[in-house]
Amino acid sequence: RVQLVESGGGSVQPGGSLTLSCRASESTFSTYCMGWFRQAPGKEREGIAAMYIPGTTYYADSVKGRFTISHDNTKKTLYLQMNNLKPEDTGVYTCAAVSEDDYEDYDVFSELRYENWGQGIQVTVSS
């Protein structure tokens, strides 16, 4: 398993922006698909953005047009650019990854697809 470390969370006012990063600890990890999940207070964790490395990106309707997922393979880092943040974006954001060897064809927003998880990082949107 590879360790994933998130950074970039914090507090922001509505309408503001944040960029989350998720770095894989092992340079030899062959990432096939990565995703960002969010758990809002009192709710279940849900997938909000995912991408094949490199390749197609996917977004939940709640973030489409506001969030952008990207990956820098040289840095082994996944990003989530979040713009026009809303109070309902508040929650713990966790990145996840799966290698091609471990990949199984679950939905991109299914937790079953991913073998490696970060610790999670808090994002709070409040005035």
Side-chain angles (χ1 to χ4, degrees), residues 22 29 33 58 86 88 107 110 125:
C22 171
F29 179 66
C33 185
Y58 303 85
K86 305 176 180 180
E88 52 264 41
D107 184 86
S110 169
V125 184

Side-chain angles (χ1 to χ4, degrees), residues 31-100:
T31 311
Y32 184 62
C33 185
M34 297 188 76
W36 286 99
F37 288 74
R38 176 176 70 195
Q39 186 166 23
K43 296 187 177 181
E44 292 188 357
R45 187 161 63 183
E46 60 174 350
I48 57 170
M51 67 180 296
Y52 287 95
I53 309 298
T56 310
T57 57
Y58 303 85
Y59 298 95
D61 288 343
S62 60
V63 306
K64 198 173 295 183
R66 300 187 297 121
F67 291 12
T68 303
I69 188 172
S70 62
H71 183 261
D72 185 331
N73 200 45
T74 59
K75 298 180 179 179
K76 295 293 185 183
T77 300
L78 181 75
Y79 301 96
L80 185 67
Q81 173 68 44
M82 305 185 292
N83 297 325
N84 190 21
L85 283 160
K86 305 176 180 180
E88 52 264 41
D89 294 318
T90 294
V92 176
Y93 286 68
T94 307
C95 68
V98 63
S99 68
E100 191 165 7

